[in-house]
Structures are given as structure tokens and as C-alpha cells.
Amino acid sequence: MSDTNPEQTAPDPTTAYPQPPQPEQEQPAPGLEQEMTPRPDHGEGSYVGHGRLEGRVAVVTGADSGIGRAVAIAFAREGADVVLSYLPQEEPDAQEVVRLVEEAGRRAIAVPDDLSTEDANVRLVRSAVEQLGRIDVLVAVAGKQVAVESIADLTSEQFDLTFRTNVHALFWLTKAALPHMPPGSAIITTSSIQAYNPSPTLLDYASTKAAINTFSKALAQQVAPQGVRVNVVAPGPFWTPLQVSGGQPTEALPEFGAQTPLGRAGQPAELASTYVYLASPESSYTTGATVSVTGGSPTP
Ligand code: NAD
Ligand code: MG
């Protein structure tokens, strides 16, 4: 033992991934991962599966990019077939995920659709059940986030669409899916640190993320007797298309993530194992929980 630092055996989380400042950039929503600089890390080159979801059927919304892509890659490498939901204009990103899931030796079912209506959510569940027979893991990641400085400029149309995409779709999707989810199944929803610590520019979005958290905790109690678990992931700042396509004011992007205790934005790859844990029977006594992955920013 020396009296200085002992020898380092694990990566330092403060320096393990790209550091701010990020270059300023802007895309029209929903944005493409392929056009971001730097490209986010979804675990393409790093995630190693251990058979923890062998033979499962998973539905992942927002699966083309960002957090949903990292989940789809990890689930496939853990042995799951994956139904990929995304918007039609995200096809170029989605095709990369299809390829990655198939390279893992699993089936990828691509279902492009806009989930802001009940019909679309019912169609997504029907596609999954028709092609793969049931749903073992339902992962709701899709979300809409558009920063607006003043309530005076926040339109009723945006307020309504943010709620329909983030909250109503979750209601419609879980309602349609539950009859097809056997005991042992898991639902995982995606809230945000915004649920607890809202930005002044995200009135509508932050409110939906609080609603997702509360909805999930109520549903968890309701379906526990059926042997279905419901848990929530609450990310802090992650480097994804959502943020460079209107989620943040453009001038805030260079320092995005810098205010966290770890001093940088998270990469989607750093969230995948949380979703895998909540999907697998390793977390069999965990339901109604929110797991915060925030780079150290405090949450309740
Ligand atoms: P992302 O842009 O990669 O993913 C969002 C996805 O939502 C899109 O790829 C798109 O497929 C889907 N989507 C949006 N509107 C849709 C609609 N009407 N119909 C169907 N799909 C639609 O960005 P991300 O950051 O990975 O976002 C994933 C989730 O993580 C979102 O729910 C977001 O609120 C949440 N989140 C992100 C952060 C962050 O800092 N990136 C932080 C906290 C929570
Ligand atoms: Mg996308």
C-alpha cells in the first residue's frame, strides 16, 4: 500500500465518456442519432449480455435512438426478441437497431407509428402479440420534450401533444398490453429528474414526467397480485437526439450535463443495465420503485 492513491482498476466515471463542452447543434424534432456530434454511445461496442432475458419478448418504444436504442441492444444481447417502436421519420436510425438486434441472434420486429393516439398503441400491442405471441417486458421510453422560455409562448397544441405522447400513450399502451403479459412480466417506464427538479422552460414536459412516476406507482400496486412488476427509471441529463432537437435551448447544449456532480452528460449506454435489472427476475421483489440515474444530482 502506498500513501498516495491505490492503483486504479475501474474507469473513473468523471472521465469515462465525452466531456462538455458539446458543440452547438440543432435538428428538427424528433432528430436523428446519425446526425449528432459527437455520436452518443448506446453500448454498441461494449454491452456484454449474460442470458438474463433469455427467450423473453420485449416491446420498447422510442427504440430507434437514445435510451431506447441502448435498451434494445442490451435486451437483445441478454437473449430477448425485441419489438421496436419509433416514428416513421426515424427509419434510418431504426434500421441500425434492427441490424444490431439481429446481429445478437434475436428477432427484431419494426413497428413505425405515431403513438399519440389510442389506436396506434393498440396496433403496436397487436403486432407484438401476432408476431411473437405475448409480451414479457414492456419498456415505455418514447417521449416528447420541447423547451419554451415563457408560458405566454407555450401553445395549447404543444401542451396537449406533450401530454398525449408522454402520459396518455403510457395509459393506452399498458392497458392494451396487460392482457398479454403473463405472471413474471415487467413494465418499465421512463420518468426524469424533471419530475422532482423541473426546469423553468419545461412546464409541460416536467409535469408529464411527474405524472408518469405517479401513474407507475399506482399501477404497480394494482397489478402486483397478477405477478406483474412496474418500475420507473428517472434519468438525469443524457446525450440523445431529444436534447438537440428542441429539448434544450440551443445555447444550453455545450454545457448540458456540466452541472451534475459527475460533471458531464450521461451516455445511453450507462442506463441500459438499469432497465435490464428491472426487467429480469433478479429484481423480483422490486416493484413501484423509481431508480434515479442522474450523475449524482439528488432526487427524493
Ligand atoms: P430520443 O430522442 O432518442 O428518444 C425519444 C424517442 O421518442 C424518439 O426516438 C421517438 O421514437 C419517440 N417518440 C417521440 N414522439 C413519439 C410519438 N408521437 N410516437 C412514437 N414515438 C415517439 O431521446 P431520449 O433522451 O433517449 O428519450 C427517451 C426518454 O428518456 C424520453 O421519455 C425522455 O423524456 C426520457 N429522458 C431523457 C433524458 C435526457 O436527458 N435525454 C432525461 C430524462 C428522461
Ligand atoms: Mg429517435
Side-chain angles (χ1 to χ4, degrees), residues 18-24 37-38 239 253-256 258 263:
Q19 302 291 310
Q22 288 85 218
E24 251 189 50
T37 315
W239 185 241
L253 279 177
E255 292 307 306
F256 180 68

Side-chain angles (χ1 to χ4, degrees), residues 175 178 215-228 230 287:
K175 185 176 179 177
L178 272 164
F215 174 91
S216 306
K217 288 171 192 295
L219 184 66
Q221 297 174 75
Q222 193 181 113
V223 300
Q226 297 166 223
V228 177
V230 184
T287 192

Side-chain angles (χ1 to χ4, degrees), residues 67 71 139-141 145 187-198 205-206 208-214 216-217 230-238 242-243 260 266-268 270-275 277-278 288-300:
I67 295 164
V71 170
V139 187
V141 181
Q145 175 185 334
I187 296 172
I188 307 168
T189 66
T190 307
S191 177
S192 170
I193 192 170
Q194 289 289 328
Y196 308 116
N197 190 6
Y205 173 84
T208 66
K209 291 293 156 175
I212 291 167
N213 201 30
T214 303
S216 306
K217 288 171 192 295
V230 184
N231 290 289
V232 189
V233 179
F238 277 77
L242 188 81
Q243 302 297 357
T260 65
Q267 295 292 325
E270 298 181 273
L271 263 176
S273 61
T274 303
Y275 285 83
Y277 163 71
L278 293 172
T290 302
V291 180
S292 296
V293 183
T294 63
S297 299
T299 57

Side-chain angles (χ1 to χ4, degrees), residues 30 62 64-68 85-87 90 113-116 141-144 165 190-192 205 209 235-238 240-243 256:
D64 59 297
S65 59
I67 295 164
S85 160
Y86 53 92
L87 287 163
E90 298 175 306
D113 211 343
D114 181 336
L115 294 179
S116 60
V141 181
K144 175 178 172 64
T165 307
T190 307
S191 177
S192 170
Y205 173 84
K209 291 293 156 175
F238 277 77
T240 69
L242 188 81
Q243 302 297 357
F256 180 68

